[in-house]
Amino acid sequence: MLTWGIIGTGDISERLVADLAALPGATVTAVWGRSAERADDFARAHAIAFATVSRDELFAREDVDVVYIATPAHTHADIAVEALRAGKHVLIEKPIATSADEAERVYTAATTARRFAMEAMWMRFNPLHVEVIDRVRGGLLGPANSVRASFGTPFQARGRVLTPAQGGSILRDRGIYPVTLAHWFLGEPTSLAASGVFDDGTDIEGHATLEYRLAFAQLAWSGIRFLDLTATVSGDRGWITIDPMFWAGSRARVHAGSAERIFGAPEVIEYPRQGNGYGPMLAAVTDAIGSGRLEHPWHSHADSLAITRTLDAVLAGMSAAR
């Protein structure tokens, strides 16, 4: 069993707590909010026994094993370090931080405290993505040589996502998914080129090409328009396309294995989504903590740091191209 404390009372916390309620052995015992009213309302809505506006008070509780941090991105690193030093495990809403230096500070604190820490990249634990990764890494497509992915919608880009002082960034909020996908199949790029659109200091749209030896990734993201919401990984023997919305996908089409599969009738992989999609990640985190791990091998500290370094480099490239 694990007991959870929730840091933040927004939409993400609402969805996460609903999935925790369906996870055997998980209990949410405490919630922190910026105001007493918000914290109390959240606690009542989810039958949580303790609500507070003091993080220190929550971190001092013996009935909290692990905390989920779902506050604005610029606060993630500081709050995670506070929790780790108080002896709590942490699961941190993506992006884990607003720079690789901040992310490294979190993981250093976790190692020092001997506590589990992970960026909540729930896409990595989605059964569909797990199977796609396994098939590609198993050689179904031959060596992977290209990735194409985009995430663009003209709505819900507001508030913290568009506020520079709160670490607002469409790249880190939406572009993180295409970048993460590229890392799964191709690793950390050797070079990249990027450009984008800024509004009042916040990046609101962009695209990038990541370069590798004999491979590349073409990625795009937007908070002001629709972009194709699919993703594709290709190799010498075929390709796999993940249907919209690729980051929360439930279906993929495999164009590999035979001429008929490639050109005529691709194999369909389908996993109906359960709940809000956090369940597989939460179960994996529970198992990792129960096994005494400080990180999960599917989204390790090194993986998260490499992705964050790429995000930093993409943002630097976008800024230079203005």
Side-chain angles (χ1 to χ4, degrees):
M1 289 187 62
L2 279 181
T3 53
W4 291 74
I6 307 298
I7 306 297
T9 57
D11 292 342
I12 291 171
S13 294
E14 292 276 357
R15 296 195 294 270
L16 182 98
V17 167
D19 282 2
L20 275 172
L23 182 66
T27 304
V28 180
T29 56
V31 60
W32 172 91
R34 286 177 296 172
S35 73
E37 181 180 8
R38 287 176 65 90
D40 290 342
D41 287 348
F42 191 95
R44 277 193 298 271
H46 298 285
I48 300 171
F50 180 77
T52 182
V53 294
S54 168
R55 291 197 301 271
D56 288 342
E57 196 172 28
L58 187 147
F59 294 154
R61 293 184 65 88
E62 294 184 0
D63 62 350
V64 173
D65 299 317
V66 54
V67 296
Y68 191 89
I69 299 169
T71 51
H74 74 294
T75 68
H76 288 179
D78 286 344
I79 294 175
V81 170
E82 289 174 14
L84 289 161
R85 288 175 176 169
K88 307 305 180 187
H89 306 288
V90 296
L91 182 59
I92 308 154
E93 176 61 26
K94 60 82 191 165
I96 185 173
T98 57
S99 71
D101 287 344
E102 284 189 354
E104 190 161 20
R105 185 160 62 91
V106 173
Y107 292 133
T108 297
T111 301
T112 300
R114 303 295 298 170
R115 290 295 181 268
F116 180 91
M118 193 181 86
E119 180 181 47
M121 180 46 68
W122 61 288
M123 179 175 70
R124 178 61 181 89
F125 300 86
N126 183 336
L128 178 73
H129 297 91
V130 171
E131 180 163 347
V132 170
I133 290 169
D134 287 347
R135 291 200 183 198
V136 173
R137 292 182 179 176
L140 176 66
L141 306 179
N145 54 38
S146 71
V147 169
R148 181 211 51 78
S150 54
F151 181 172
T153 59
F155 46 82
Q156 295 184 343
R158 60 185 188 274
R160 62 175 176 79
V161 179
L162 295 180
T163 305
Q166 293 187 350
S169 167
I170 294 298
L171 168 64
R172 295 190 194 276
D173 184 66
R174 298 181 184 180
I176 190 173
Y177 291 109
V179 169
T180 295
L181 202 76
H183 271 250
W184 288 352
F185 302 115
L186 302 176
E188 196 165 2
T190 56
S191 64
L192 61 85
S195 63
V197 177
F198 290 78
D199 181 20
D200 194 25
T202 301
D203 62 282
I204 58 174
E205 182 175 80
H207 58 272
T209 299
L210 311 187
E211 299 286 352
Y212 304 82
R213 184 178 180 273
L214 304 179
F216 65 93
Q218 295 176 315
L219 314 175
W221 53 94
S222 178
I224 57 176
R225 73 187 83 221
F226 281 111
L227 301 175
D228 178 11
L229 301 179
T230 66
T232 299
V233 53
S234 303
D236 297 343
R237 301 174 188 166
W239 72 95
I240 298 174
T241 295
I242 303 174
D243 287 357
M245 301 168 291
F246 81 82
W247 61 95
S250 60
R251 186 173 64 179
R253 288 164 288 138
V254 182
H255 296 262
S258 69
E260 174 64 17
R261 288 293 194 201
I262 292 172
F263 299 109
E267 177 190 359
V268 175
I269 309 171
E270 193 158 11
Y271 288 89
R273 184 171 170 178
Q274 297 181 355
N276 294 310
Y278 294 98
M281 176 186 69
L282 295 171
V285 169
T286 299
D287 289 344
I289 292 174
S291 300
R293 292 180 179 269
L294 304 186
E295 57 187 324
H296 197 287
W298 288 4
H299 194 57
S300 67
H301 296 177
D303 294 335
S304 176
L305 283 168
I307 291 164
T308 308
R309 282 194 298 267
T310 298
L311 293 173
D312 289 354
V314 169
L315 190 58
M318 291 168 62
S319 298
R322 294 171 69 178

